[in-house]
Amino acid sequence: LKTLKAPIQRDKNDVDVMVGKNLFDQIDCAKCHTPTMQTGYSPIEVLSYKEFNPYTDLLLHDMGAELDDGYTEGYALTSEWKTPPLWGLGLSKDSQGGLYYLMHDGRAFSIDQAIQLHGGEANQSRSLYNQLSEGEKTQLIKFLESL
């Protein structure tokens, strides 16, 4: 499993996808959904010190009351969630009967709905997203679906 290839971004040269990526950065989604990381040393040479694009920081963040389900795992508070990788997001519908089931419990049926559930530390990014025009939101979502 260690050597399985990560999902490859699709349509990255599409103008709307490129604009959507810039919007992703501008509204600070990349603060937690960090685009690029690097592996450390691995005894498997092809895995050592390689850049990859998971779109996560792998850290816990307070996501606010909207996602506080009263349950905890380990040392996390009930409103804290680890940033999920966004790589492969646009492929997830293919494995879920053509539908999205997003967030930790599948409660969001669209990328827009998932963004609307971001509170707490992500409240500012959600607010900035809501200020985008409909066209800009479409471009941002097209970028996310390219991952």
Side-chain angles (χ1 to χ4, degrees):
L1 290 176
K2 286 182 182 180
T3 58
L4 287 177
K5 191 169 190 154
I8 297 171
Q9 184 179 3
R10 294 154 320 283
D11 303 321
K12 65 181 177 181
N13 295 321
D14 180 289
V15 173
D16 286 333
V17 170
M18 291 188 288
V19 171
K21 182 182 184 335
N22 288 334
L23 292 167
F24 182 85
D25 294 336
Q26 287 174 19
I27 65 172
D28 287 336
C29 299
K31 283 174 72 175
C32 299
H33 292 282
T34 306
T36 303
M37 298 179 95
Q38 184 178 41
T39 64
Y41 167 77
S42 173
I44 302 170
E45 185 178 338
V46 296
L47 299 179
S48 282
Y49 307 107
K50 300 296 180 193
E51 265 192 12
F52 63 106
N53 302 99
Y55 286 86
T56 180
D57 61 8
L58 299 172
L59 299 175
L60 283 175
H61 295 279
D62 182 347
M63 295 302 293
E66 293 94 338
L67 291 176
D68 187 337
D69 62 5
Y71 293 97
T72 189
E73 188 172 322
Y75 60 87
L77 300 176
T78 59
S79 63
E80 289 182 321
W81 296 98
K82 189 177 283 189
T83 307
L86 295 180
W87 62 6
L89 176 62
L91 301 172
S92 65
K93 288 194 300 188
D94 295 340
S95 65
Q96 299 174 150
L99 303 172
Y100 280 118
Y101 298 96
L102 304 173
M103 306 311 283
H104 68 286
D105 56 2
R107 73 173 81 176
F109 303 116
S110 70
I111 294 173
D112 177 78
Q113 190 176 14
I115 293 168
Q116 296 304 333
L117 289 169
H118 281 61
E121 293 177 48
N123 195 48
Q124 180 180 352
S125 290
R126 176 180 63 187
S127 178
L128 291 169
Y129 169 79
N130 286 330
Q131 293 173 34
L132 296 175
S133 70
E134 288 305 311
E136 289 170 324
K137 288 179 184 177
T138 299
Q139 290 170 314
L140 176 60
I141 290 172
K142 190 168 183 178
F143 161 68
L144 293 170
E145 289 182 330
S146 79
L147 299 178

